[in-house]
Amino acid sequence: MKKLVRPLTWWLVGVAVFLLNGCWLMGETPPLELTTTRSGFKVALLLPGPATDKAWNQAGYEGLKLIEQEFSAETAFVEQLEGPDLATRTREAARRFAGSGFDLVILHGGEFVPIAESIAQEFPRTRFALTGTYAGNNSNLGAVAFRFEESGYLSGVLAALRSRTNKVAYIAGFDYPSYVEEGKLFEIGAKSIKPDIEVKISYLQTWFDPNKARDTALGLAREGFDILLINADAPGLRAIREVTQLPDVYVIGHNQDQYDVAPGRVLTSVIDNVPLLLLKAATLVQLGRWEGKQYKFGMREDILRFTPFRGAVPPADEARFQKVRTEILTGALNISTEIGALPGEVREN
Amino acid sequence: MPQPVQLSPSEVSINPWSSIASQLRFGLVVIVALTLLVTGSLLIYSSFQTLIQETNSLQRERSRVAAETIDAYLDDLLRKLNYLARVRGLTDLPAETKQTMLEGLARHNQAYELIAVLDREGNVQSSVNPYGGAKPGPMRNSSLFIRTFFKHEDFVADVTIDPDLNQPVTTFAVPIRNAQDSVDGVLLARINLKFLNFVTSQTEVGRTGYTYVVDARNRLISRKGTTGQTVQLEDGSRLAFLQDLTITKARSLAVYHGLYGAEVLGAVAPVRNLNWLVVVELPTAEAYAPVRRQIFTMGLSLLVVVIGATGVGFLFAQRVVVPFQRLTSAAQRIRDGNLEVQVHIPDRNELGVLGQAFNTMAAQLQASFQALEQINEDLEARVASRTAELQAAFQEIETLNQQLKAENLRMGAELEVTRQLQQMLLPREAELQNIADLDIAGFMAPADEVGGDYYDVLQHNGRIKIGIGDVTGHGLESGVVMMMAQTAVRTLLANDETDPVKCMNTINRVIYENTRRMRSARNMTFALLEYEAGVFRLSGQHEDVLVLRTSGQIERIDTFELGFPLGIEPDISQFVAQIDIELAGGEVLVMYTDGITEAVNPDQEQYGIDRLCAVLTAHRGASATDLQHRVVEDVKAFIGSQKIFDDLTLLVIKKKPFPPHASPP
């Protein structure tokens, strides 16, 4: 028995020392875990289409969730407002949110530009944010927009570098000023590489008609346009899928990484980081500095970017592309033009 | 001295690595050193990590604070412009009012070098130059006007060096509104960035560190220590670190080769308003100096502690090891025969007790050895005396042996003589065949030491005397007595003495007288058979006489009542008697001595009368010689390798079946 006692004692002393050390290292008290409380910041989102369209509307919805997460905000949204009674339903929804004390109402899309101003005027206490190019009402209605001239110019450069037929095309859903600007800079960018290149710019006047997007894309391809930038939400995906069935036709995607739609045929995709854009707006509202003007974000803020080429572009062309990109980023290359300019007055579509 | 006990040739030797002394000394030391080194190193490593983190955080903090200072300064300037941009109908105000407002703005901050309002055509409507200078010209095609007026963006121009001021300047521009809140003009302000130098100079970055500001185009627009010099914008694009930051925004802190080529710990913080970057670089030589110092101090302390602990451990081990080694070497000396060894272990602990016990044991061992030595000496003396005695005894035995050998030789010669005497006196073959009526076969085999058997067949005047006898004892004496008996019988036959009593008594008297003279106790049994005209007359005490009848029956004739042993009494006439035995033709009479019946085989069984009778019965038809051979062979076979102790004598007498005249020639 006595034989056992001594080693046992030492062992216990060892364990005690170890535990004491452990306590000292770990700190005496575990960190407090606070139950998250709502910040009282309330944000609503109005969507023209369904929140699960895997495109523009869904990106908006994700932005709302990001705001909810970042600011512990209370959020709400209304979807599928697109239609003949867009104005009525939007006004109705905006009233409901403004009436229940929402701090920020986001109108997600160029569709809302015509009616945004009158709604904003109705609820001076509420801040309204449009996603799109808009000058702002100088009071409570402002806009967050992408510097699509950057993506347009660079896409044009890439398209011209890769075209074999010397014919490239830009297809977008609507001729919103931002897309008009993107389209024009697509052309300017392409011509900066090949001055004699043929560039066609086409607006579908729909975000929802799948056949129109497909027909337009196939039509252009048959005319010999071999690089197409397609920016048309869900119909655009179908167009990409079908047009890449034709030989030697390549596309540049838009909004999402669309590589998987036609692997090997999608050179790259322009990613407009809508969630981050919306977060920028919400941040400004939070700080009380949402002024009724336009806030623009682009590649420098990482809100616009291109997906990796994944071998679809030869290294020499990629290097050329990256060089132009760096020049734009540092301001060495000035691509500002009057194209896409907004008139002083709100333009009625 | 006693001889040391030799162990096996492969004596156990101490391996210096596995010796307990080494294990105690170095094992303890290694454990202590290892424990200290491992825990110490872990502690040093974790504090090293913490220190690095602290240094890094400090560096980040420095850049953040510098960036925020610049941000705050710019914010102040930008907010005032934005305030005016929010004024509804600013463009519609009378030129004089506008001028006044711009003046107020200029007075608010000394950095405004020029403030101007452009109309929708890009022409200067109103402008203020607080420090004098030229009015700007029309800006219709400038990037500033396009972006602000046509695209409604806030605009920040590139930083340039104002040649007059020798200072970096930039221009901010914002769209301004008319009474309908629509963009209807541009407000621009030219800003002197002198304050940047103040910020970069004032940001304390150790002794050798420095701060600089990089604009959106990766150009150095301000750095520490440039105040008062000719300012030039430096292209920072050569700095890979900046490239990384502006292109990928991957890192905000890194160790790299800094602005002046030295390895630095650099931290970057953005100036949010303008996409500028504030970089704070501190040469690693200084940045990590406290870390190095602390690590060095801790390492040194650890080393000192390890050495100290090792020393103490070593000393403690010595306290055990030294007594232990003394014990070991003492034990070895004892093994080598030195019993006077004593160990000196003064410690008052187990080893002390062990040492004392060892000393006691050594002393006891020595005493035991001395006692043993004494006993040994005594023993040796006794062995010597015993050996001498034994030597003498051996001499005696040797002498006796010599005598015995001589005696033996003499006796051997004596025996040989006796044997020859005995054989010489036996009847010849021819004598036996001369007997007409009888077929007689005689056999005598002397014993190794000649016994005193006797037989004889004598013929005189048609009378046949057949004698058989056995003298007691062996050797010459018995042989001589037997010869006397033979001589006496022949003498009696020659004198035609036929009275068996007289015969027997005369022979007895001869033997009795002679043995008295010889001072010998020899005597003999003796039977005499006389044959005359087909009748056998038997007298004298001897073995049974066997008569083998033609019917196969054997008669045993006891001779005990027919006489008395010769040579014991002077007169035996009263004991002597005679019986007549008649044999028909072919019947056989057999006489023998006890050498036959008492012959023993290796199992110490006697041959016996029954076996003899059985052999005779089995071969009753055979001739006398044949019968005699059969019996002798059977006896010899029975005896086997056994020594013949007594003489064997056998007489077979067969009555011829036909009259003597009819016998074959």
Side-chain angles (χ1 to χ4, degrees):
Chain A
M1 195 58 208
K2 217 172 173 185
K3 258 185 187 171
L4 263 175
V5 172
R6 264 179 71 166
L8 203 66
T9 315
W10 281 115
W11 189 79
L12 284 174
V13 167
V15 169
V17 167
F18 180 79
L19 287 178
L20 278 172
N21 266 332
C23 288
W24 173 65
L25 284 172
M26 302 291 258
E28 295 86 2
T29 49
L32 276 177
E33 209 168 296
L34 293 170
T35 48
T36 46
T37 50
R38 295 284 176 196
S39 59
F41 185 48
K42 291 168 85 174
V43 182
L45 174 71
L46 307 189
L47 298 172
T52 55
D53 67 349
K54 295 190 173 166
W56 175 255
N57 292 286
Q58 185 164 340
Y61 177 74
E62 281 164 12
L64 186 70
K65 288 286 136 192
L66 184 64
I67 293 164
E68 183 180 297
Q69 191 189 320
E70 290 289 313
F71 297 114
S72 301
E74 197 180 313
T75 59
F77 72 99
V78 176
E79 58 184 339
Q80 303 205 356
L81 291 169
E82 178 70 33
D85 51 354
L86 172 84
T88 327
R89 291 178 62 205
T90 304
R91 198 178 299 279
E92 196 183 298
R95 272 196 192 124
R96 209 168 66 227
F97 290 129
S100 49
F102 273 74
D103 300 287
L104 171 63
V105 175
I106 300 167
L107 305 164
H108 190 48
E111 300 90 330
F112 296 109
V113 171
I115 52 170
E117 206 160 289
S118 61
I119 294 169
Q121 213 163 15
E122 205 178 319
F123 305 102
R125 201 174 265 282
T126 308
R127 306 279 126 178
F128 290 88
L130 264 167
T131 43
T133 42
Y134 168 65
N137 72 350
N138 203 20
S139 164
N140 65 338
L141 172 61
V144 278
F146 297 102
R147 290 188 200 283
F148 277 127
E149 73 263 33
E150 294 173 347
S151 58
Y153 189 90
L154 274 170
S155 300
V157 167
L158 181 64
L161 285 170
R162 296 305 304 144
S163 176
R164 296 281 164 271
T165 57
N166 226 23
K167 283 177 167 187
V168 297
Y170 174 93
I171 305 170
F174 272 102
D175 51 350
Y176 299 147
S178 53
Y179 297 136
V180 170
E181 186 179 16
E182 190 178 39
K184 281 313 281 183
L185 274 131
F186 178 82
E187 187 174 350
I188 293 170
K191 287 188 169 161
S192 75
I193 300 295
K194 292 181 180 166
D196 59 339
I197 199 165
E198 187 181 337
V199 180
K200 199 158 207 171
I201 297 165
S202 176
Y203 297 102
L204 305 172
Q205 303 304 333
T206 174
W207 293 117
F208 301 98
D209 184 349
N211 293 334
K212 198 162 181 197
R214 182 196 60 192
D215 295 347
T216 307
L218 286 174
L220 285 167
R222 285 195 195 101
E223 283 173 45
F225 289 86
D226 62 346
I227 311 289
L228 311 176
L229 186 153
I230 302 179
N231 170 22
D233 286 1
L237 294 181
R238 184 169 174 191
I240 291 171
R241 206 172 294 124
E242 299 210 4
V243 81
T244 51
Q245 301 294 318
L246 300 175
D248 301 324
V249 176
Y250 292 85
V251 297
I252 297 171
H254 211 279
N255 298 343
Q256 306 277 322
D257 186 352
Q258 291 164 340
Y259 179 82
D260 291 338
V261 178
R265 293 301 193 87
V266 178
L267 298 177
T268 181
S269 301
V270 177
I271 304 289
D272 44 0
N273 195 333
V274 173
L276 206 55
L277 189 74
L278 298 191
L279 185 68
K280 291 272 184 190
T283 308
L284 287 164
V285 175
Q286 259 288 55
L287 293 170
R289 291 186 60 185
W290 183 254
E291 299 173 48
K293 63 174 185 178
Q294 175 170 253
Y295 299 88
K296 272 198 161 180
F297 302 95
M299 291 195 298
R300 195 170 257 281
E301 295 84 3
D302 219 17
I303 282 177
L304 269 185
R305 64 185 177 87
F306 286 84
T307 59
F309 295 152
R310 299 182 180 105
V313 176
D317 288 348
E318 180 164 358
R320 185 84 186 273
F321 175 88
Q322 292 297 353
K323 184 169 172 281
V324 177
R325 180 174 175 271
T326 308
E327 282 172 2
I328 293 171
L329 269 179
T330 58
L333 178 67
N334 184 9
I335 55 167
S336 58
T337 62
E338 283 181 47
I339 295 154
L342 294 168
E345 308 259 341
V346 171
R347 182 202 283 177
E348 300 284 341
N349 278 38
Chain B
M1 279 308 292
Q3 285 301 304
V5 179
Q6 287 300 318
L7 296 174
S8 57
S10 59
E11 193 171 305
V12 179
S13 61
I14 291 175
N15 178 349
W17 288 108
S18 61
S19 82
I20 292 183
S22 302
Q23 286 182 32
L24 273 171
R25 265 194 210 120
F26 304 113
L28 201 64
V29 165
V30 164
I31 288 168
V32 167
L34 267 184
T35 313
L36 278 171
L37 280 174
V38 168
T39 42
S41 305
L42 281 174
L43 277 173
I44 289 175
Y45 180 72
S46 66
S47 65
F48 168 75
Q49 291 290 341
T50 314
L51 281 169
I52 291 281
Q53 274 175 17
E54 270 175 17
T55 309
N56 291 353
S57 312
L58 182 65
Q59 196 67 3
R60 273 205 190 92
E61 197 58 20
R62 280 175 180 144
S63 66
R64 201 180 58 78
V65 167
E68 276 178 7
T69 310
I70 294 167
D71 234 3
Y73 199 100
L74 291 171
D75 228 23
D76 184 57
L77 299 170
L78 284 167
R79 278 191 195 202
K80 276 159 203 148
L81 291 182
N82 272 312
Y83 162 69
L84 287 179
R86 295 286 79 74
V87 172
R88 183 159 57 90
L90 182 68
T91 51
D92 300 334
L93 290 177
E96 206 171 298
T97 317
K98 270 190 248 178
Q99 188 73 20
T100 316
M101 286 177 78
L102 296 187
E103 270 175 19
L105 186 63
R107 286 172 188 178
H108 191 67
N109 193 315
Q110 60 182 20
Y112 293 116
E113 290 285 339
L114 164 73
I115 303 171
V117 170
L118 304 180
D119 64 11
R120 57 175 66 226
E121 302 303 327
N123 297 321
V124 176
Q125 241 178 17
S126 331
S127 69
V128 172
N129 294 58
Y131 314 112
K135 257 188 177 184
M139 304 180 92
R140 172 65 180 80
N141 293 320
S142 71
S143 162
L144 179 149
F145 190 73
I146 290 169
R147 282 190 176 274
T148 45
F149 186 76
F150 291 112
K151 299 198 174 178
H152 307 165
E153 294 173 33
D154 293 352
F155 177 81
V156 180
D158 287 340
V159 177
T160 52
I161 302 294
D162 186 296
D164 300 332
L165 296 170
N166 193 24
Q167 303 277 3
V169 292
T170 187
T171 305
F172 300 152
V174 292
I176 52 175
R177 317 271 170 152
N178 60 17
Q180 287 77 47
D181 274 333
S182 296
V183 175
D184 200 22
V186 170
L187 172 65
L188 68 88
R190 202 145 169 250
I191 309 288
N192 187 334
L193 297 176
K194 197 173 143 189
F195 75 93
L196 290 176
N197 282 337
F198 182 75
V199 175
T200 52
S201 307
Q202 288 302 301
T203 305
E204 199 64 43
V205 193
R207 279 181 302 106
T208 53
Y210 48 89
T211 308
Y212 55 90
V213 181
V214 178
D215 76 353
R217 293 184 62 173
N218 271 352
R219 294 177 309 177
L220 258 69
I221 51 175
S222 169
R223 62 163 143 158
K224 188 175 187 174
T226 51
T227 322
Q229 297 179 0
T230 304
V231 179
Q232 276 186 321
L233 291 179
E234 296 172 61
D235 186 4
S237 56
R238 65 189 166 90
L239 301 172
F241 178 58
L242 289 177
Q243 288 286 346
D244 270 11
L245 280 168
T246 47
I247 306 296
T248 68
K249 296 184 171 65
R251 293 175 298 171
S252 62
L253 184 101
V255 174
Y256 56 96
H257 289 281
L259 198 56
Y260 301 110
E263 193 188 60
V264 294
L265 174 66
V268 172
V271 176
R272 289 176 208 291
N273 275 309
L274 298 179
N275 280 330
W276 291 353
L277 295 172
V278 175
V279 184
V280 176
E281 290 180 353
L282 181 59
T284 47
E286 189 189 340
Y288 293 131
V291 180
R292 289 199 192 98
R293 213 159 37 237
Q294 185 141 357
I295 297 300
F296 176 73
T297 311
M298 288 179 80
L300 199 66
S301 314
L302 181 62
L303 197 68
V304 168
V305 169
V306 166
I307 289 170
T310 305
V312 170
F314 199 79
L315 283 179
F316 268 109
Q318 282 300 89
R319 282 179 62 86
V320 177
V321 167
V322 167
F324 205 75
Q325 283 179 330
R326 283 183 188 159
L327 276 171
T328 312
S329 94
Q332 278 171 338
R333 272 181 286 158
I334 286 185
R335 181 200 62 191
D336 296 339
N338 184 1
L339 292 178
E340 285 153 21
V341 171
Q342 293 282 294
V343 285
H344 177 67
I345 303 174
D347 303 322
R348 299 178 64 81
N349 58 16
E350 289 87 338
L351 283 167
V353 173
L354 191 62
Q356 210 170 28
F358 187 88
N359 287 341
T360 312
M361 286 193 315
Q364 284 172 350
L365 201 62
Q366 197 179 7
S368 302
F369 261 119
Q370 280 168 354
L372 214 61
E373 214 177 325
Q374 188 60 50
I375 290 168
N376 205 20
E377 276 171 19
D378 292 353
L379 218 63
E380 272 173 22
R382 278 155 73 178
V383 166
S385 83
R386 284 284 184 283
T387 310
E389 282 170 27
L390 277 173
Q391 197 77 26
F394 180 74
Q395 283 294 331
E396 205 170 334
I397 289 165
E398 191 72 2
T399 312
L400 287 172
N401 206 18
Q402 293 287 338
Q403 288 173 352
L404 271 174
K405 269 186 190 166
E407 184 76 359
N408 221 15
L409 206 63
R410 189 183 57 75
M411 281 172 72
E414 219 174 63
L415 279 172
E416 192 51 40
V417 169
T418 312
R419 191 172 284 127
Q420 283 183 14
L421 284 177
Q422 200 174 25
Q423 293 291 326
M424 275 193 285
L425 287 174
L426 289 178
R428 304 276 159 253
E429 192 77 11
E431 287 179 60
L432 297 181
Q433 283 170 4
N434 279 339
I435 298 164
D437 251 5
L438 302 173
D439 178 12
I440 300 173
F443 173 81
M444 192 174 84
D448 292 355
E449 286 178 46
V450 180
D453 273 16
Y454 153 82
Y455 87 88
D456 207 352
V457 178
L458 300 170
Q459 196 173 355
H460 186 76
N461 297 333
R463 239 186 228 122
I464 297 166
K465 278 190 191 293
I466 299 167
I468 187 160
D470 184 2
V471 184
T472 59
H474 300 272
L476 186 60
E477 271 184 46
S478 302
V480 169
V481 173
M482 186 271 286
M483 280 169 60
M484 289 172 191
Q486 196 265 349
T487 308
V489 172
R490 184 157 276 250
T491 307
L492 288 171
L493 186 64
N495 287 334
D496 288 326
E497 179 58 68
T498 53
D499 182 8
V501 178
K502 273 189 180 167
C503 269
M504 250 338 134
N505 210 21
T506 306
I507 298 166
N508 178 55
R509 175 59 64 110
V510 170
I511 288 169
Y512 180 80
E513 298 291 341
N514 275 349
T515 52
R516 292 288 100 60
R517 188 178 286 172
M518 286 161 69
R519 292 186 183 83
S520 170
R522 296 281 195 275
N523 59 69
M524 73 184 291
T525 57
F526 182 78
L528 191 64
L529 194 67
E530 281 186 77
Y531 177 76
E532 191 175 20
V535 178
F536 290 91
R537 186 167 294 157
L538 178 65
S539 63
Q541 192 188 60
H542 190 66
E543 303 297 319
D544 292 355
V545 172
L546 305 178
V547 179
L548 183 59
R549 297 295 175 190
T550 44
S551 63
Q553 191 188 347
I554 289 182
E555 291 173 12
R556 287 175 61 175
I557 298 160
D558 190 357
T559 60
F560 191 75
E561 300 294 332
L562 299 182
F564 195 77
L566 307 182
I568 294 171
E569 290 291 323
D571 189 350
I572 59 165
S573 47
Q574 61 186 20
F575 301 111
V576 178
Q578 62 181 14
I579 58 167
D580 289 347
I581 303 163
E582 278 187 49
L583 290 187
E587 290 185 331
V588 179
L589 192 147
V590 175
M591 300 179 85
Y592 58 90
T593 59
D594 60 359
I596 297 277
T597 51
E598 290 171 15
V600 292
N601 70 0
D603 295 334
Q604 302 302 318
E605 286 170 328
Q606 289 200 345
Y607 185 72
I609 190 84
D610 293 336
R611 273 181 227 272
L612 179 59
C613 294
V615 174
L616 295 173
T617 311
H619 305 287
R620 60 182 178 272
S623 68
T625 310
D626 205 6
L627 260 176
Q628 176 240 304
H629 282 309
R630 298 279 182 188
V631 172
V632 169
E633 273 169 23
D634 192 55
V635 172
K636 282 188 175 165
F638 180 78
I639 291 168
S641 63
Q642 194 66 21
K643 187 183 172 188
I644 301 172
F645 288 109
D646 203 355
D647 297 346
L648 307 177
T649 305
L650 179 70
L651 266 175
V652 179
I653 304 150
K654 188 167 187 175
K655 180 86 181 320
K656 291 182 179 168
F658 34 75
H661 59 265
S663 63

